[in-house]
Amino acid sequence: MWQQMSAPEIVARSFGYIDTDFPNPNGENDTSVIIYGYTPSIGLAAFAAAWFFVHLVVHTAQNFTTRCWWWMTFSTGLIFEIVGYIARSLSAKEDPYNLIFFVLQYFFIVTAPVFLAAGIYTISSALISRLGKTYSFLKPAVILGFFITSDVVSTIVQIAGACLVGVKESQREDPTTANHILLAGLAYQVFAMSIFVTLMATFQFRARHAIKEHGYRLFCFACSVATIMVYLRTIFRLAETAQGLGGNLSTNEVFFACLEFAPIAVVVLLLGIWHPGRCLGAKKYLDYIATELPI
């Protein structure tokens, strides 16, 4: 079908969004249409960048005061969020047709939660080691290794698919195969995280008395909500990709704001208030590292 259509027809067939109030500069890196499916809001992008910058300062400062160096992974994720939303701000303010801005914001915003999730996996592994391995079906080192590896692999697949989508759209070619690659990465990520959510829910139920005894109830509640928020965001990305470019989820920024930005914003807020450096402590986690991970 795509081979039988002219270039303008292919663009219209995909989604073909053009902002009449924002003329296409037609620069070297500009596509014929806005791949987002809308012109990004500068207000949302700037607020998101500021929000994550403030929490980067909050988290990193607590890392230093508690000497919680293992939580710097989370700070790395916040840096990725900031860079992603700065690129999105450039799309909104300077040129929404620019393919480089689109790819950069997608890469960093999609990749950032991998580092944030790695922090959550680390907390869960440390809690299991601290409260008792008999409460968990898997060893802490297995949880840490398997789920971090799963996130890395799925994200690489997602980024490859997203880049191919951008290239195909800029060349006015069929992006279906590229979208399927992106969908496969997200589907595996949802699958792996579903297992993690189930394991952690089971662990916290079985260890509920130990959690209360150690005074970890609020901390575990914050971690549970953070996990659910990351999980919700991943499900949104899967549903968005399943609809394909031009779908309602991908062409409406309200969904992006509520199901991409908001869940991650809640995660960084909760774990800033209940910072693991204060709730678990660097020494406790280092003891876990010494006993659990082969070094």
Side-chain angles (χ1 to χ4, degrees), residues 9 71 83 108 204 218 224 229 233:
E9 289 174 328
W71 192 243
V83 173
F108 283 101
Q204 290 200 29
L218 284 177
S224 296
M229 290 296 100
R233 172 260 175 201

Side-chain angles (χ1 to χ4, degrees), residues 16-227:
Y17 180 79
I18 296 175
D19 189 343
T20 55
D21 296 325
F22 203 128
N24 192 333
N26 291 314
E28 181 181 356
N29 297 315
D30 290 332
T31 59
S32 58
V33 296
I34 298 176
I35 300 177
Y36 296 93
Y38 53 83
T39 300
S41 165
I42 182 62
L44 172 62
F47 176 78
W51 176 270
F52 290 120
F53 177 78
V54 169
H55 284 87
L56 172 64
V57 173
V58 170
H59 280 267
T60 306
Q62 292 187 83
N63 291 347
F64 277 90
T65 57
T66 61
R67 302 183 66 82
C68 187
W69 311 124
W70 57 272
W71 192 243
M72 290 301 290
T73 305
F74 202 86
S75 294
T76 302
L78 289 171
I79 293 173
F80 270 56
E81 292 284 3
I82 294 166
V83 173
Y85 281 102
I86 288 175
R88 192 176 177 91
S89 296
L90 291 173
S91 278
K93 184 69 175 177
E94 300 294 332
D95 184 2
Y97 299 88
N98 190 290
L99 178 63
I100 303 301
F101 292 160
F102 174 81
V103 171
L104 283 175
Q105 67 86 34
Y106 191 94
F107 172 81
F108 283 101
I109 292 175
V110 166
T111 305
V114 174
F115 294 95
L116 307 183
I120 293 173
Y121 301 149
T122 305
I123 289 174
S124 300
S125 298
L127 277 172
I128 292 170
S129 181
R130 181 70 177 169
L131 297 176
K133 302 168 194 174
T134 56
Y135 297 122
S136 176
F137 293 116
L138 294 177
K139 293 181 179 180
V142 173
I143 289 176
L144 195 61
F146 174 76
F147 289 108
I148 288 180
T149 301
S150 293
D151 261 8
V152 170
V153 171
S154 65
T155 300
I156 290 173
V157 175
Q158 289 174 55
I159 296 302
C163 289
L164 286 173
V165 167
V167 170
K168 292 295 184 182
E169 285 295 335
S170 67
Q171 296 175 349
R172 299 179 179 180
E173 297 177 357
D174 184 1
T176 302
T177 300
N179 201 62
H180 285 167
I181 293 173
L182 176 57
L183 185 63
L186 282 163
Y188 179 72
Q189 189 174 27
V190 169
F191 168 74
M193 199 152 197
S194 297
I195 297 175
F196 177 76
V197 169
T198 302
L199 285 173
M200 287 305 100
T202 304
F203 164 73
Q204 290 200 29
F205 176 76
R206 298 177 69 187
R208 60 192 182 281
H209 299 303
I211 290 172
K212 181 179 179 181
E213 181 183 341
H214 284 76
Y216 287 161
R217 283 190 298 179
L218 284 177
F219 179 61
C220 286
F221 175 76
C223 289
S224 296
V225 174
T227 301

